[in-house]
């Protein structure tokens, strides 16, 4: 079975632009979460979606938005990019929204804002 | 949300057992304790999860005392490839699991 797949793997954008990152969860997983990881820090929670509904939102500005599709894949959108948005964006999937299972993470999308 | 405290870094040598302790004084009744491993430029990898007492799998053991205010990840006979950052998380729902700064383990030959 394929793991969590994210695309693209690398991306360079200019300040003020918009970006869309994509994630396909493991087959059968209905929960998708997004994390931002700045170099040298632990991943920071952005969003969780379960059964196409937002179940949690971290402390990120409204420039960050996400959605989950009927096939449980997900997109993360970031508008009006800032230099500080440069980071590794991680997607994680799990079977349920509860914590008693653990996540499977993808390898991430490396976003560089110049 | 339960906050976790881990050592920032640890050093070990190949073949030794490594124990990384995490403090979570405010853990809630429904919270699980989960450990992840992360290599540079990769997503974290699930290692082990537990609720109480001891859990063991093919790569690690997790020891949780009765009060659950701390937990210890035990890695038997580490190798150079175990050099990574290890994160301890507590939570009951995936939307309240927060990563701290983690413990940077360096295994030396």
């Amino acid at each position: 079975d394929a793991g969590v797949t994210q695309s693209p793997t690398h991306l360079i954008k200019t300040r003020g632009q918009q970006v869309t990152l994509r994630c396909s969860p493991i087959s059968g997983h209905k929960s998708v979460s997004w994390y931002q990881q700045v170099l040298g820090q632990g991943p920071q929670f952005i969003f969780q979606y379960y059964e196409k509904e937002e179940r949690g939102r971290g402390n990120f500005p409204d420039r960050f938005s996400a959605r989950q599709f009927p096939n449980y894949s997900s997109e993360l959108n970031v508008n009006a990019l800032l230099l500080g948005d440069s980071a590794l964006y991680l997607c994680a999937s799990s079977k349920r929204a509860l914590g008693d299972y653990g996540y499977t993470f993808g390898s991430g999308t490396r976003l560089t804002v110049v | 949300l339960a906050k976790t405290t881990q050592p920032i870094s640890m050093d070990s040598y190949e073949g030794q057992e490594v124990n990384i302790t995490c403090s979570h004084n405010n853990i809630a009744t429904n919270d699980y304790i989960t450990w992840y491993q992360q290599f540079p430029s990769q997503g974290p990898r699930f290692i082990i999860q537990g609720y109480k007492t001891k859990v063991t799998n093919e790569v690690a053991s997790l020891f949780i005392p009765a009060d659950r205010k701390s937990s210890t990840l035990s890695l038997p006979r580490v190798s150079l490839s175990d050099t990574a950052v290890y994160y301890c998380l507590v939570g009951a729902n995936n939307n309240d699991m927060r990563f701290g700064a983690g413990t940077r383990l360096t295994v030396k030959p």
Side-chain angles (χ1 to χ4, degrees):
Chain A
D1 284 342
V4 177
T5 57
Q6 293 186 244
S7 62
T9 56
H10 296 83
L11 200 55
I12 300 175
K13 290 286 189 178
T14 305
R15 278 179 297 176
Q17 285 188 315
Q18 176 264 340
V19 68
T20 298
L21 310 180
R22 296 176 175 81
C23 172
S24 293
I26 290 174
S27 177
H29 284 196
K30 298 181 178 180
S31 174
V32 170
S33 297
W34 287 94
Y35 286 80
Q36 179 197 65
Q37 187 171 27
V38 174
L39 197 62
Q41 298 181 18
Q44 299 300 306
F45 174 75
I46 309 176
F47 287 110
Q48 189 214 4
Y49 278 78
Y50 179 71
E51 288 283 17
K52 301 178 286 293
E53 291 186 1
E54 182 182 303
R55 291 297 188 93
R57 174 185 287 252
N59 188 25
F60 280 80
D62 292 343
R63 299 185 296 108
F64 289 77
S65 64
R67 56 179 174 169
Q68 187 176 33
F69 299 98
N71 66 354
Y72 303 109
S73 66
S74 177
E75 287 183 350
L76 175 69
N77 296 285
V78 187
N79 294 323
L81 286 166
L82 304 174
L83 295 180
D85 295 330
S86 295
L88 180 67
Y89 288 85
L90 295 162
C91 172
S93 76
S94 64
K95 287 186 178 180
R96 306 195 295 171
L98 299 177
D100 61 338
Y101 188 77
Y103 285 143
T104 300
F105 281 84
S107 295
T109 294
R110 172 72 62 186
L111 172 65
T112 302
V113 182
V114 297
Chain B
L1 301 180
K3 179 180 178 181
T4 60
T5 303
Q6 304 174 233
I8 293 175
S9 64
M10 294 181 67
D11 290 341
S12 183
Y13 291 92
E14 283 189 291
Q16 289 188 333
E17 178 184 73
V18 171
N19 296 308
I20 306 174
T21 297
C22 178
S23 297
H24 28 80
N25 292 320
N26 297 322
I27 190 169
T29 302
N30 294 333
D31 286 345
Y32 287 81
I33 301 159
T34 311
W35 285 80
Y36 289 86
Q37 174 194 56
Q38 187 177 29
F39 298 111
S41 298
Q42 295 185 24
R45 182 177 75 98
F46 173 88
I47 301 175
I48 198 166
Q49 185 179 69
Y51 184 80
K52 62 181 180 180
T53 63
K54 177 183 175 182
V55 179
T56 298
N57 62 22
E58 63 275 9
V59 298
S61 295
L62 178 60
F63 298 92
I64 306 169
D67 66 5
R68 303 199 331 122
K69 293 184 183 298
S70 67
S71 59
T72 299
L73 174 72
S74 181
L75 304 173
R77 298 178 297 280
V78 295
S79 64
L80 296 177
S81 62
D82 292 317
T83 293
V85 179
Y86 292 82
Y87 296 98
C88 163
L89 285 76
V90 294
N93 297 293
N94 286 338
N95 61 14
D96 68 12
M97 286 195 168
R98 301 292 190 265
F99 285 81
T103 298
R104 185 171 301 276
L105 172 66
T106 302
V107 180
K108 303 176 182 179

